[in-house]
Amino acid sequence: MSSRNALFGLIILAALLLPGAASAQMVTFIKIIDGDSLLVEAGGRSMEVRLIGVDAPEFKQEYGLQAKEFSLKFCFGHKLRLEFDKELVDRYGRVLAYVHRGDKMLNREILEAGLAIAVRIKPNIRRYAAFKAAEQLAVGKKHGFWKQGGLRMTPAQWRKAHPQKRRD
């Protein structure tokens, strides 16, 4: 993401989180990028959102398409609510959030479906224990990629083995 877009993301977030702003930020879904990233619209501008606490297979990785389709089905046609943690933006300028649709949270739902793994990335660790429990539920019920015992490579290992230049 360009530094201009990253700056815009920070400005939007600052406006959303100013004193007096609503505690829940409603956004409009635009599209799914992959299982753990989506594009939303807030304040007339689009921004990329990265799910906190989960790592889904990359699009070209095994189960990557299933993870992307799961997130699309969760989000399509719905208003979404973003909930933030301590760190608001990652090094790529993506907004870091827990993504809610009504009383369901995409971050937890994709873990329970066995289409992502729980990851602990400080300082956004408030829900890590619950996410690890959701992952263990999927393991026990053999949901998603857990029916084959897991992924051959974690998404992080796959990205390292298949480097790709990020688009700005």
Side-chain angles (χ1 to χ4, degrees):
M1 178 175 269
S2 71
S3 57
R4 189 181 87 170
N5 286 340
L7 178 61
F8 173 74
L10 287 172
I11 291 168
I12 288 287
L13 275 176
L16 298 176
L17 300 175
L18 285 173
S23 61
Q25 176 57 43
M26 298 303 291
V27 297
T28 302
F29 170 73
I30 298 174
K31 75 174 191 172
I32 291 297
I33 296 167
D34 59 24
D36 53 29
S37 299
L38 56 145
L39 197 64
V40 300
E41 182 272 323
R45 301 286 245 156
S46 64
M47 61 182 161
E48 186 173 344
V49 174
R50 172 67 167 82
L51 300 180
I52 295 173
V54 303
D55 201 6
E58 297 301 315
F59 182 66
K60 293 183 179 179
Q61 184 181 3
E62 62 180 325
Y63 285 89
L65 180 60
Q66 293 92 326
K68 184 175 182 176
E69 288 175 349
F70 182 91
S71 292
L72 177 62
K73 287 177 185 173
F74 184 94
C75 297
F76 186 78
H78 297 280
K79 285 282 192 181
L80 303 172
R81 181 173 53 90
L82 302 183
E83 175 191 352
F84 307 104
D85 208 324
K86 292 181 179 178
E87 188 172 77
L88 303 176
V89 179
D90 71 6
R91 64 182 175 185
Y92 303 113
R94 299 176 296 187
V95 174
L96 299 171
Y98 304 105
V99 176
H100 298 267
R101 183 193 78 207
D103 63 350
K104 295 186 181 283
M105 182 196 306
L106 177 56
N107 312 54
R108 182 176 34 249
E109 297 289 324
I110 198 167
L111 288 164
E112 287 180 3
L115 295 172
I117 59 172
V119 291
R120 186 175 188 267
I121 301 174
K122 291 181 179 182
N124 294 347
I125 58 173
R126 179 169 30 118
R127 296 183 183 265
Y128 177 73
F131 287 173
K132 198 65 180 169
E135 178 186 278
Q136 289 305 307
L137 181 68
V139 170
K141 292 186 173 186
K142 298 186 186 300
H143 288 170
F145 51 70
W146 297 113
K147 67 181 133 202
Q148 69 179 26
L151 296 167
R152 288 188 282 274
M153 299 173 118
T154 67
Q157 291 167 333
W158 195 91
R159 285 188 298 273
K160 188 174 182 179
H162 301 86
Q164 178 181 334
K165 187 176 178 180
R166 282 196 60 88
R167 287 180 278 155
D168 284 337

